[in-house]
Amino acid sequence: MKSTLAIALIFIASTAAANEVDTRRILPLTEHQRDHVLTEMRALLSGTQNILDALSKEDMTAVAREARSLGIGMAHKGEDHLKAVLPKEFIQMGMSVHKAFDQIATDAESMKDTQHTVRQLSKAMQTCNACHAGYQIRLKEHSTGRETQSSHHQHQHQH
Ligand code: HEC
């Protein structure tokens, strides 16, 4: 009985969501900026998976290495052009995730406690969710590539 109710509620919730428009705050980015953000996002996801994989093997050296690669060092890779266009709170949430991964790396090295790392990872990922709940990317109107029409005709057949 209870599970039927739960399924009904999930159905209602997802139906409602399907009829809604995406009300998350819009980040108007150029194609290049969008690619930069999404590339970093995919690195965060695969890095997180690498951490879980290392955790499952209780390989804390690998946990530390993978977590470090998602730390503050990751954020400094050519992001100045993005800092100027992204909202301050967005940058801060991003930074707090990078800092959390640095802390995970440091603790993995010194404490070698898998449960502690799992808790830290879960907490860090709440920030992934918080940010995703609040923002969406849309391409800036002037970055559709229409203005560079002539470049579409440059199909060079070289060999
Ligand atoms: C500061 C904000 C922020 C944080 C923190 C954040 N993300 Fe994202 N992420 C975004 C935005 C914005 C998008 C694009 C969403 C959209 O346009 O619908 C995105 C998209 C993604 C995507 C889709 C990538 C693609 O190629 O389409 C993945 C995967 C992702 N994030 C993973 C993560 C993971 C994992 C974390 C945490 C470890 C994380 N993100 C933390 C803002 C954030």
Side-chain angles (χ1 to χ4, degrees):
M1 286 298 229
K2 264 193 182 158
S3 64
T4 315
L5 179 65
I7 288 165
L9 285 174
I10 289 165
F11 181 74
I12 291 164
S14 58
T15 312
N19 292 331
E20 271 168 24
V21 290
D22 193 339
T23 54
R24 298 175 300 166
R25 275 184 69 182
I26 291 171
L27 305 170
L29 300 183
T30 64
E31 187 88 54
H32 177 73
Q33 291 163 340
R34 172 179 179 270
D35 182 64
H36 193 104
V37 172
L38 294 183
T39 301
E40 177 172 326
M41 289 301 151
R42 292 191 297 272
L44 282 172
L45 181 59
S46 66
T48 304
Q49 195 265 321
N50 290 342
I51 294 172
L52 285 172
D53 186 61
L55 271 175
S56 74
K57 295 169 183 151
E58 297 187 33
D59 181 349
M60 298 311 270
T61 310
V63 168
R65 185 184 61 236
E66 296 296 342
R68 192 72 73 195
S69 76
L70 305 180
I72 282 291
M74 181 188 194
H76 292 316
K77 287 183 196 147
E79 276 182 6
D80 289 349
H81 66 113
L82 277 172
K83 285 219 175 88
V85 294
L86 294 172
K88 213 171 122 220
E89 321 84 75
F90 185 91
I91 304 261
Q92 279 170 351
M93 254 195 273
M95 284 302 163
S96 81
V97 166
H98 291 303
K99 279 185 193 147
F101 279 115
D102 274 330
Q103 191 63 51
I104 288 172
T106 304
D107 289 1
E109 275 161 354
S110 63
M111 298 165 69
K112 302 189 196 306
D113 177 348
T114 54
Q115 279 306 307
H116 176 73
T117 304
V118 169
R119 279 192 298 272
Q120 284 178 310
L121 194 58
S122 172
K123 187 141 185 287
M125 289 190 82
Q126 288 175 359
T127 313
C128 314
N129 291 341
C131 192
H132 292 156
Y135 295 95
Q136 61 177 309
I137 296 172
R138 295 272 178 93
L139 284 181
K140 262 192 197 167
E141 279 180 17
H142 297 297
S143 71
T144 53
R146 279 173 144 213
E147 65 277 11
T148 59
Q149 244 180 5
S150 62
S151 67
H152 291 306
H153 298 289
Q154 294 174 353
H155 294 289
Q156 293 179 357
H157 299 282
Q158 288 174 339
H159 42 258

